[in-house]
PDB file of all heavy atoms in Angstrom:
ATOM      1  N   ARG A  96      10.598 -18.338 -93.091  1.00  0.00           N
ATOM      2  CA  ARG A  96      10.794 -17.884 -94.464  1.00  0.00           C
ATOM      3  C   ARG A  96      12.232 -18.082 -94.931  1.00  0.00           C
ATOM      4  O   ARG A  96      12.515 -18.041 -96.123  1.00  0.00           O
ATOM      5  CB  ARG A  96      10.404 -16.399 -94.600  1.00  0.00           C
ATOM      6  CG  ARG A  96       8.908 -16.178 -94.425  1.00  0.00           C
ATOM      7  CD  ARG A  96       8.528 -14.729 -94.698  1.00  0.00           C
ATOM      8  NE  ARG A  96       7.103 -14.535 -94.522  1.00  0.00           N
ATOM      9  CZ  ARG A  96       6.185 -14.816 -95.442  1.00  0.00           C
ATOM     10  NH1 ARG A  96       6.554 -15.300 -96.612  1.00  0.00           N
ATOM     11  NH2 ARG A  96       4.899 -14.617 -95.203  1.00  0.00           N
ATOM     12  N   GLU A  97      13.147 -18.287 -93.964  1.00  0.00           N
ATOM     13  CA  GLU A  97      14.547 -18.505 -94.322  1.00  0.00           C
ATOM     14  C   GLU A  97      14.832 -19.957 -94.646  1.00  0.00           C
ATOM     15  O   GLU A  97      15.848 -20.286 -95.224  1.00  0.00           O
ATOM     16  CB  GLU A  97      15.458 -18.056 -93.152  1.00  0.00           C
ATOM     17  CG  GLU A  97      15.332 -16.575 -92.805  1.00  0.00           C
ATOM     18  CD  GLU A  97      15.641 -15.687 -93.995  1.00  0.00           C
ATOM     19  OE1 GLU A  97      16.598 -15.989 -94.718  1.00  0.00           O
ATOM     20  OE2 GLU A  97      14.928 -14.694 -94.193  1.00  0.00           O
ATOM     21  N   VAL A  98      13.915 -20.847 -94.256  1.00  0.00           N
ATOM     22  CA  VAL A  98      14.101 -22.266 -94.563  1.00  0.00           C
ATOM     23  C   VAL A  98      13.958 -22.453 -96.065  1.00  0.00           C
ATOM     24  O   VAL A  98      13.034 -21.947 -96.683  1.00  0.00           O
ATOM     25  CB  VAL A  98      13.047 -23.129 -93.827  1.00  0.00           C
ATOM     26  CG1 VAL A  98      13.248 -24.600 -94.163  1.00  0.00           C
ATOM     27  CG2 VAL A  98      13.148 -22.908 -92.333  1.00  0.00           C
ATOM     28  N   THR A  99      14.872 -23.193 -96.660  1.00  0.00           N
ATOM     29  CA  THR A  99      14.805 -23.415 -98.105  1.00  0.00           C
ATOM     30  C   THR A  99      13.673 -24.367 -98.432  1.00  0.00           C
ATOM     31  O   THR A  99      13.037 -24.936 -97.552  1.00  0.00           O
ATOM     32  CB  THR A  99      16.131 -24.015 -98.613  1.00  0.00           C
ATOM     33  OG1 THR A  99      16.264 -25.337 -98.078  1.00  0.00           O
ATOM     34  CG2 THR A  99      17.308 -23.170 -98.193  1.00  0.00           C
ATOM     35  N   VAL A 100      13.422 -24.594 -99.720  1.00  0.00           N
ATOM     36  CA  VAL A 100      12.369 -25.515-100.129  1.00  0.00           C
ATOM     37  C   VAL A 100      12.822 -26.963 -99.931  1.00  0.00           C
ATOM     38  O   VAL A 100      12.077 -27.891-100.194  1.00  0.00           O
ATOM     39  CB  VAL A 100      11.970 -25.241-101.601  1.00  0.00           C
ATOM     40  CG1 VAL A 100      10.831 -26.156-102.039  1.00  0.00           C
ATOM     41  CG2 VAL A 100      11.540 -23.783-101.758  1.00  0.00           C
ATOM     42  N   ASP A 101      14.039 -27.150 -99.452  1.00  0.00           N
ATOM     43  CA  ASP A 101      14.530 -28.482 -99.130  1.00  0.00           C
ATOM     44  C   ASP A 101      13.531 -29.162 -98.194  1.00  0.00           C
ATOM     45  O   ASP A 101      13.310 -28.720 -97.070  1.00  0.00           O
ATOM     46  CB  ASP A 101      15.905 -28.355 -98.444  1.00  0.00           C
ATOM     47  CG  ASP A 101      16.508 -29.708 -98.107  1.00  0.00           C
ATOM     48  OD1 ASP A 101      15.756 -30.634 -97.768  1.00  0.00           O
ATOM     49  OD2 ASP A 101      17.740 -29.818 -98.173  1.00  0.00           O
ATOM     50  N   ALA A 102      12.921 -30.244 -98.667  1.00  0.00           N
ATOM     51  CA  ALA A 102      11.851 -30.894 -97.910  1.00  0.00           C
ATOM     52  C   ALA A 102      12.324 -31.382 -96.546  1.00  0.00           C
ATOM     53  O   ALA A 102      11.619 -31.251 -95.545  1.00  0.00           O
ATOM     54  CB  ALA A 102      11.289 -32.062 -98.716  1.00  0.00           C
ATOM     55  N   LEU A 103      13.522 -31.966 -96.480  1.00  0.00           N
ATOM     56  CA  LEU A 103      14.022 -32.479 -95.217  1.00  0.00           C
ATOM     57  C   LEU A 103      14.203 -31.347 -94.219  1.00  0.00           C
ATOM     58  O   LEU A 103      13.908 -31.494 -93.034  1.00  0.00           O
ATOM     59  CB  LEU A 103      15.347 -33.215 -95.422  1.00  0.00           C
ATOM     60  CG  LEU A 103      15.976 -33.843 -94.165  1.00  0.00           C
ATOM     61  CD1 LEU A 103      15.001 -34.799 -93.502  1.00  0.00           C
ATOM     62  CD2 LEU A 103      17.280 -34.536 -94.494  1.00  0.00           C
ATOM     63  N   SER A 104      14.685 -30.191 -94.693  1.00  0.00           N
ATOM     64  CA  SER A 104      14.882 -29.035 -93.818  1.00  0.00           C
ATOM     65  C   SER A 104      13.564 -28.581 -93.215  1.00  0.00           C
ATOM     66  O   SER A 104      13.477 -28.272 -92.032  1.00  0.00           O
ATOM     67  CB  SER A 104      15.533 -27.882 -94.591  1.00  0.00           C
ATOM     68  OG  SER A 104      15.713 -26.756 -93.751  1.00  0.00           O
ATOM     69  N   ILE A 105      12.511 -28.543 -94.044  1.00  0.00           N
ATOM     70  CA  ILE A 105      11.199 -28.128 -93.552  1.00  0.00           C
ATOM     71  C   ILE A 105      10.698 -29.105 -92.491  1.00  0.00           C
ATOM     72  O   ILE A 105      10.220 -28.709 -91.430  1.00  0.00           O
ATOM     73  CB  ILE A 105      10.188 -28.031 -94.713  1.00  0.00           C
ATOM     74  CG1 ILE A 105      10.582 -26.900 -95.665  1.00  0.00           C
ATOM     75  CG2 ILE A 105       8.774 -27.806 -94.180  1.00  0.00           C
ATOM     76  CD1 ILE A 105       9.723 -26.817 -96.909  1.00  0.00           C
ATOM     77  N   VAL A 106      10.810 -30.392 -92.783  1.00  0.00           N
ATOM     78  CA  VAL A 106      10.344 -31.411 -91.838  1.00  0.00           C
ATOM     79  C   VAL A 106      11.104 -31.324 -90.527  1.00  0.00           C
ATOM     80  O   VAL A 106      10.524 -31.361 -89.437  1.00  0.00           O
ATOM     81  CB  VAL A 106      10.484 -32.822 -92.443  1.00  0.00           C
ATOM     82  CG1 VAL A 106      10.238 -33.887 -91.378  1.00  0.00           C
ATOM     83  CG2 VAL A 106       9.501 -33.002 -93.587  1.00  0.00           C
ATOM     84  N   GLN A 107      12.425 -31.193 -90.608  1.00  0.00           N
ATOM     85  CA  GLN A 107      13.240 -31.154 -89.399  1.00  0.00           C
ATOM     86  C   GLN A 107      12.945 -29.932 -88.541  1.00  0.00           C
ATOM     87  O   GLN A 107      12.984 -29.994 -87.321  1.00  0.00           O
ATOM     88  CB  GLN A 107      14.724 -31.193 -89.776  1.00  0.00           C
ATOM     89  CG  GLN A 107      15.179 -32.547 -90.287  1.00  0.00           C
ATOM     90  CD  GLN A 107      16.629 -32.538 -90.745  1.00  0.00           C
ATOM     91  OE1 GLN A 107      17.153 -31.529 -91.182  1.00  0.00           O
ATOM     92  NE2 GLN A 107      17.269 -33.687 -90.630  1.00  0.00           N
ATOM     93  N   GLN A 108      12.653 -28.794 -89.181  1.00  0.00           N
ATOM     94  CA  GLN A 108      12.424 -27.572 -88.423  1.00  0.00           C
ATOM     95  C   GLN A 108      10.988 -27.409 -87.961  1.00  0.00           C
ATOM     96  O   GLN A 108      10.718 -26.669 -87.023  1.00  0.00           O
ATOM     97  CB  GLN A 108      12.832 -26.347 -89.245  1.00  0.00           C
ATOM     98  CG  GLN A 108      14.323 -26.282 -89.512  1.00  0.00           C
ATOM     99  CD  GLN A 108      14.803 -24.856 -89.710  1.00  0.00           C
ATOM    100  OE1 GLN A 108      14.362 -23.946 -89.036  1.00  0.00           O
ATOM    101  NE2 GLN A 108      15.706 -24.658 -90.647  1.00  0.00           N
ATOM    102  N   VAL A 109      10.065 -28.080 -88.620  1.00  0.00           N
ATOM    103  CA  VAL A 109       8.657 -27.896 -88.273  1.00  0.00           C
ATOM    104  C   VAL A 109       8.020 -29.151 -87.705  1.00  0.00           C
ATOM    105  O   VAL A 109       7.419 -29.134 -86.639  1.00  0.00           O
ATOM    106  CB  VAL A 109       7.851 -27.402 -89.491  1.00  0.00           C
ATOM    107  CG1 VAL A 109       6.377 -27.273 -89.136  1.00  0.00           C
ATOM    108  CG2 VAL A 109       8.393 -26.072 -89.990  1.00  0.00           C
ATOM    109  N   LEU A 110       8.130 -30.278 -88.399  1.00  0.00           N
ATOM    110  CA  LEU A 110       7.490 -31.508 -87.959  1.00  0.00           C
ATOM    111  C   LEU A 110       8.467 -32.367 -87.172  1.00  0.00           C
ATOM    112  O   LEU A 110       8.907 -33.427 -87.618  1.00  0.00           O
ATOM    113  CB  LEU A 110       6.952 -32.285 -89.166  1.00  0.00           C
ATOM    114  CG  LEU A 110       5.860 -31.557 -89.956  1.00  0.00           C
ATOM    115  CD1 LEU A 110       5.442 -32.403 -91.148  1.00  0.00           C
ATOM    116  CD2 LEU A 110       4.660 -31.263 -89.083  1.00  0.00           C
ATOM    117  N   ASP A 111       8.809 -31.880 -85.987  1.00  0.00           N
ATOM    118  CA  ASP A 111       9.744 -32.593 -85.135  1.00  0.00           C
ATOM    119  C   ASP A 111       9.082 -33.862 -84.611  1.00  0.00           C
ATOM    120  O   ASP A 111       8.038 -33.803 -83.968  1.00  0.00           O
ATOM    121  CB  ASP A 111      10.142 -31.692 -83.961  1.00  0.00           C
ATOM    122  CG  ASP A 111      11.076 -32.373 -82.979  1.00  0.00           C
ATOM    123  OD1 ASP A 111      11.641 -33.422 -83.332  1.00  0.00           O
ATOM    124  OD2 ASP A 111      11.241 -31.854 -81.867  1.00  0.00           O
ATOM    125  N   VAL A 112       9.663 -35.017 -84.895  1.00  0.00           N
ATOM    126  CA  VAL A 112       9.064 -36.286 -84.471  1.00  0.00           C
ATOM    127  C   VAL A 112       9.765 -36.870 -83.246  1.00  0.00           C
ATOM    128  O   VAL A 112       9.527 -38.012 -82.886  1.00  0.00           O
ATOM    129  CB  VAL A 112       9.100 -37.333 -85.617  1.00  0.00           C
ATOM    130  CG1 VAL A 112       8.308 -36.832 -86.802  1.00  0.00           C
ATOM    131  CG2 VAL A 112      10.529 -37.680 -86.020  1.00  0.00           C
ATOM    132  N   SER A 113      10.608 -36.099 -82.593  1.00  0.00           N
ATOM    133  CA  SER A 113      11.369 -36.636 -81.467  1.00  0.00           C
ATOM    134  C   SER A 113      10.487 -36.975 -80.267  1.00  0.00           C
ATOM    135  O   SER A 113      10.933 -37.637 -79.339  1.00  0.00           O
ATOM    136  CB  SER A 113      12.446 -35.632 -81.037  1.00  0.00           C
ATOM    137  OG  SER A 113      11.863 -34.407 -80.628  1.00  0.00           O
ATOM    138  N   GLY A 114       9.213 -36.524 -80.284  1.00  0.00           N
ATOM    139  CA  GLY A 114       8.326 -36.842 -79.172  1.00  0.00           C
ATOM    140  C   GLY A 114       7.713 -38.227 -79.259  1.00  0.00           C
ATOM    141  O   GLY A 114       7.010 -38.648 -78.354  1.00  0.00           O
ATOM    142  N   ASP A 115       7.949 -38.925 -80.357  1.00  0.00           N
ATOM    143  CA  ASP A 115       7.349 -40.244 -80.541  1.00  0.00           C
ATOM    144  C   ASP A 115       8.170 -41.319 -79.820  1.00  0.00           C
ATOM    145  O   ASP A 115       8.948 -42.041 -80.437  1.00  0.00           O
ATOM    146  CB  ASP A 115       7.276 -40.589 -82.034  1.00  0.00           C
ATOM    147  CG  ASP A 115       6.068 -39.966 -82.694  1.00  0.00           C
ATOM    148  OD1 ASP A 115       5.244 -39.381 -81.975  1.00  0.00           O
ATOM    149  OD2 ASP A 115       5.958 -40.054 -83.917  1.00  0.00           O
ATOM    150  N   ASP A 116       7.995 -41.420 -78.500  1.00  0.00           N
ATOM    151  CA  ASP A 116       8.757 -42.420 -77.774  1.00  0.00           C
ATOM    152  C   ASP A 116       8.087 -43.792 -77.927  1.00  0.00           C
ATOM    153  O   ASP A 116       7.013 -43.927 -78.505  1.00  0.00           O
ATOM    154  CB  ASP A 116       8.914 -42.037 -76.303  1.00  0.00           C
ATOM    155  CG  ASP A 116       7.573 -41.844 -75.604  1.00  0.00           C
ATOM    156  OD1 ASP A 116       6.555 -42.344 -76.123  1.00  0.00           O
ATOM    157  OD2 ASP A 116       7.561 -41.196 -74.552  1.00  0.00           O
ATOM    158  N   ARG A 117       8.740 -44.802 -77.400  1.00  0.00           N
ATOM    159  CA  ARG A 117       8.259 -46.178 -77.579  1.00  0.00           C
ATOM    160  C   ARG A 117       6.863 -46.357 -76.994  1.00  0.00           C
ATOM    161  O   ARG A 117       6.013 -47.035 -77.577  1.00  0.00           O
ATOM    162  CB  ARG A 117       9.252 -47.144 -76.923  1.00  0.00           C
ATOM    163  CG  ARG A 117       8.862 -48.614 -77.089  1.00  0.00           C
ATOM    164  CD  ARG A 117       9.914 -49.519 -76.474  1.00  0.00           C
ATOM    165  NE  ARG A 117       9.508 -50.908 -76.571  1.00  0.00           N
ATOM    166  CZ  ARG A 117       9.676 -51.669 -77.652  1.00  0.00           C
ATOM    167  NH1 ARG A 117      10.240 -51.152 -78.721  1.00  0.00           N
ATOM    168  NH2 ARG A 117       9.286 -52.928 -77.658  1.00  0.00           N
ATOM    169  N   LEU A 118       6.609 -45.746 -75.829  1.00  0.00           N
ATOM    170  CA  LEU A 118       5.305 -45.870 -75.197  1.00  0.00           C
ATOM    171  C   LEU A 118       4.210 -45.328 -76.102  1.00  0.00           C
ATOM    172  O   LEU A 118       3.159 -45.955 -76.264  1.00  0.00           O
ATOM    173  CB  LEU A 118       5.294 -45.123 -73.854  1.00  0.00           C
ATOM    174  CG  LEU A 118       3.923 -44.998 -73.175  1.00  0.00           C
ATOM    175  CD1 LEU A 118       3.334 -46.369 -72.898  1.00  0.00           C
ATOM    176  CD2 LEU A 118       4.033 -44.178 -71.905  1.00  0.00           C
ATOM    177  N   ALA A 119       4.454 -44.157 -76.687  1.00  0.00           N
ATOM    178  CA  ALA A 119       3.450 -43.554 -77.563  1.00  0.00           C
ATOM    179  C   ALA A 119       3.155 -44.455 -78.764  1.00  0.00           C
ATOM    180  O   ALA A 119       1.998 -44.633 -79.149  1.00  0.00           O
ATOM    181  CB  ALA A 119       3.931 -42.180 -78.035  1.00  0.00           C
ATOM    182  N   ILE A 120       4.206 -45.020 -79.343  1.00  0.00           N
ATOM    183  CA  ILE A 120       4.035 -45.882 -80.516  1.00  0.00           C
ATOM    184  C   ILE A 120       3.279 -47.158 -80.150  1.00  0.00           C
ATOM    185  O   ILE A 120       2.353 -47.588 -80.851  1.00  0.00           O
ATOM    186  CB  ILE A 120       5.407 -46.224 -81.125  1.00  0.00           C
ATOM    187  CG1 ILE A 120       6.059 -44.939 -81.673  1.00  0.00           C
ATOM    188  CG2 ILE A 120       5.273 -47.249 -82.242  1.00  0.00           C
ATOM    189  CD1 ILE A 120       7.520 -45.096 -82.007  1.00  0.00           C
ATOM    190  N   LEU A 121       3.645 -47.777 -79.028  1.00  0.00           N
ATOM    191  CA  LEU A 121       2.957 -48.987 -78.579  1.00  0.00           C
ATOM    192  C   LEU A 121       1.493 -48.689 -78.256  1.00  0.00           C
ATOM    193  O   LEU A 121       0.599 -49.468 -78.599  1.00  0.00           O
ATOM    194  CB  LEU A 121       3.652 -49.555 -77.340  1.00  0.00           C
ATOM    195  CG  LEU A 121       5.003 -50.232 -77.569  1.00  0.00           C
ATOM    196  CD1 LEU A 121       5.651 -50.560 -76.231  1.00  0.00           C
ATOM    197  CD2 LEU A 121       4.844 -51.493 -78.397  1.00  0.00           C
ATOM    198  N   LEU A 122       1.259 -47.573 -77.603  1.00  0.00           N
ATOM    199  CA  LEU A 122      -0.099 -47.207 -77.221  1.00  0.00           C
ATOM    200  C   LEU A 122      -0.991 -47.038 -78.444  1.00  0.00           C
ATOM    201  O   LEU A 122      -2.099 -47.585 -78.510  1.00  0.00           O
ATOM    202  CB  LEU A 122      -0.077 -45.918 -76.400  1.00  0.00           C
ATOM    203  CG  LEU A 122      -1.433 -45.358 -75.970  1.00  0.00           C
ATOM    204  CD1 LEU A 122      -2.164 -46.366 -75.097  1.00  0.00           C
ATOM    205  CD2 LEU A 122      -1.263 -44.038 -75.246  1.00  0.00           C
ATOM    206  N   MET A 123      -0.512 -46.287 -79.438  1.00  0.00           N
ATOM    207  CA  MET A 123      -1.305 -46.065 -80.634  1.00  0.00           C
ATOM    208  C   MET A 123      -1.569 -47.382 -81.376  1.00  0.00           C
ATOM    209  O   MET A 123      -2.660 -47.601 -81.905  1.00  0.00           O
ATOM    210  CB  MET A 123      -0.585 -45.076 -81.559  1.00  0.00           C
ATOM    211  CG  MET A 123      -0.405 -43.680 -80.972  1.00  0.00           C
ATOM    212  SD  MET A 123      -1.958 -42.872 -80.562  1.00  0.00           S
ATOM    213  CE  MET A 123      -2.572 -42.480 -82.198  1.00  0.00           C
ATOM    214  N   SER A 124      -0.577 -48.262 -81.392  1.00  0.00           N
ATOM    215  CA  SER A 124      -0.747 -49.553 -82.074  1.00  0.00           C
ATOM    216  C   SER A 124      -1.764 -50.428 -81.353  1.00  0.00           C
ATOM    217  O   SER A 124      -2.610 -51.080 -81.985  1.00  0.00           O
ATOM    218  CB  SER A 124       0.604 -50.279 -82.165  1.00  0.00           C
ATOM    219  OG  SER A 124       1.523 -49.537 -82.938  1.00  0.00           O
ATOM    220  N   GLU A 125      -1.696 -50.462 -80.022  1.00  0.00           N
ATOM    221  CA  GLU A 125      -2.637 -51.264 -79.242  1.00  0.00           C
ATOM    222  C   GLU A 125      -4.063 -50.747 -79.411  1.00  0.00           C
ATOM    223  O   GLU A 125      -5.007 -51.524 -79.580  1.00  0.00           O
ATOM    224  CB  GLU A 125      -2.243 -51.224 -77.758  1.00  0.00           C
ATOM    225  CG  GLU A 125      -1.019 -52.039 -77.423  1.00  0.00           C
ATOM    226  CD  GLU A 125      -1.342 -53.516 -77.248  1.00  0.00           C
ATOM    227  OE1 GLU A 125      -2.539 -53.875 -77.280  1.00  0.00           O
ATOM    228  OE2 GLU A 125      -0.409 -54.314 -77.077  1.00  0.00           O
TER     229      GLU A 125
END
Side-chain angles (χ1 to χ4, degrees):
R96 292 186 180 278
E97 299 302 318
V98 180
T99 67
V100 182
D101 182 325
L103 181 56
S104 179
I105 294 174
V106 170
Q107 288 176 331
Q108 294 207 39
V109 177
L110 297 178
D111 178 15
V112 299
S113 61
D115 278 354
D116 58 19
R117 182 177 177 83
L118 171 59
I120 295 167
L121 287 172
L122 177 61
M123 296 300 287
S124 297
E125 287 278 354

